[in-house]
Amino acid sequence: MGSSATFGCDVSTRGRLRLTGEDRARFLNGQVTNDVKNLAPGTGCYAAFANGKGKMRADAVILNHDDSLLLDLEAGYDASIAVELDKFIIADDVLVEGLTEVWRAFAIVGARAGDVLRDMNLCDAPPARLFDIASNGAGSSFVFRSRRSITDSFDVWVQLADHEALSKRLRSALEKAGGGISDISELEISRIEAGIPRFGVEMDEGTLPPEAGIESVAISYTKGCYIGQEVIARIKSVGHVNRTLARLQLPDAAQRKEPLLSNGKE
């Protein structure tokens, strides 16, 4: 299709959780690297879950939507994160629920992604700020501005019962905008071209968040305590990490699993 075209991709395999209860914001704020406690309704953020050594356990988009906090995670991490969260709930008024089976999701990426949203009447206006939420008021779907490309990108969550009908409408709106439905490979191209790391690919359980280059978007240094904060704060005070994610373009012949060396150093 080409990376300049506007396209849509089903991302329903990603994990989805919902936190409800009066203590949900305070509780989750103590679990992740970014400031959840001060999220206004209809806004969101990106954050990492870290262990006591500051290494990542997962990453997530966190949305403050309809008296709940919604988490969008890499496929397969919703179950493990739900278990970990449950372990820390003691006297807190918090309920963690899985939504992966009852909601579906699409990503819409490209210069005309906003036009597609308007044509589908999914919201009055596409959300302007990263992770802000919009909807048409129907309640069966909502949109948030996502971080998937150097161009505009939006994620649409839709209830399972409306998934098939919305999929057909999306195909029609994309064709009208000169694009079409694609598979996950097109989404990966857009992500890589934008230099956005993906958990389980460029970063994993052995990665410190600053090593992945997500510090500016995923870490708050002014919020309260959270798991792994001491290590991550120490890295900031030292001023650097020993390794960091970099963007390289390699010839086909260099696509092999050998260390890359610069002046003899890995």
Side-chain angles (χ1 to χ4, degrees):
M1 184 178 296
S3 58
S4 61
T6 297
F7 66 92
C9 178
D10 195 306
V11 291
S12 296
T13 57
R14 288 183 62 83
R16 290 171 289 280
L17 297 174
R18 176 169 59 200
L19 272 66
T20 53
E22 291 296 322
D23 298 329
R24 61 187 183 278
R26 179 191 56 77
F27 170 77
L28 189 59
N29 202 54
Q31 305 294 319
V32 298
T33 57
N34 215 338
D35 187 354
V36 176
K37 192 174 181 180
N38 291 312
L39 282 181
T43 70
C45 69
Y46 172 67
F49 288 87
N51 63 22
K53 296 182 178 180
K55 300 291 182 71
M56 295 179 68
R57 292 183 287 138
D59 68 343
V61 173
I62 301 170
L63 306 170
N64 186 356
H65 178 62
D66 281 354
D67 297 324
S68 64
L69 292 172
L70 303 177
L71 276 63
D72 177 86
L73 306 104
E74 282 292 337
Y77 286 90
D78 48 320
S80 61
I81 290 298
V83 170
E84 289 295 317
L85 291 175
D86 277 333
K87 287 182 182 178
F88 288 98
I89 297 173
I90 301 174
D92 307 281
D93 179 14
V94 181
L95 176 65
V96 181
E97 302 173 90
L99 295 182
T100 304
E101 300 303 321
V102 295
W103 284 77
R104 295 291 186 263
F106 296 97
I108 305 173
V109 180
R112 298 196 62 187
D115 295 336
V116 172
L117 293 179
R118 281 185 285 263
D119 187 53
M120 296 177 68
N121 192 32
L122 290 176
C123 55
D124 295 331
R129 295 187 307 174
L130 191 60
F131 307 124
D132 273 8
I133 305 166
S135 72
N136 60 8
S140 62
S141 66
F142 67 88
V143 175
F144 69 90
R145 181 175 285 270
S146 54
R147 178 174 170 264
R148 295 187 177 276
S149 173
I150 56 175
T151 61
D152 284 346
S153 67
F154 302 94
D155 278 26
V156 181
W157 279 31
V158 57
Q159 291 183 8
L160 178 60
D162 295 324
H163 175 252
E164 185 175 351
L166 188 66
S167 180
K168 293 178 180 177
R169 290 172 54 204
L170 176 61
R171 183 181 296 275
S172 176
L174 285 166
E175 291 174 354
K176 184 177 177 180
I181 296 290
S182 184
D183 59 23
I184 198 69
S185 63
E186 191 79 13
L187 201 61
E188 283 291 272
I189 290 170
S190 292
R191 178 187 70 78
I192 293 167
E193 286 179 342
I196 299 170
R198 180 180 175 188
F199 194 75
V201 184
E202 294 87 8
M203 53 186 181
D204 56 26
E205 288 86 351
T207 304
L208 295 162
E211 293 177 331
I214 61 174
E215 186 176 21
S216 63
V217 69
I219 300 175
S220 169
Y221 289 105
T222 59
K223 59 171 281 184
C225 296
Y226 61 89
I227 299 171
Q229 181 192 30
E230 184 177 351
V231 175
I232 293 172
R234 190 183 308 130
I235 292 171
K236 181 174 175 60
S237 66
V238 170
H240 73 280
V241 287
N242 293 328
R243 61 178 184 174
T244 187
L245 185 66
R247 299 173 67 181
L248 298 175
Q249 184 173 358
L250 304 174
D252 290 342
Q255 301 294 332
R256 54 182 183 266
K257 295 181 179 179
E258 296 178 8
L260 295 174
L261 304 179
S262 175
N263 298 323
K265 294 183 178 181
E266 184 175 350

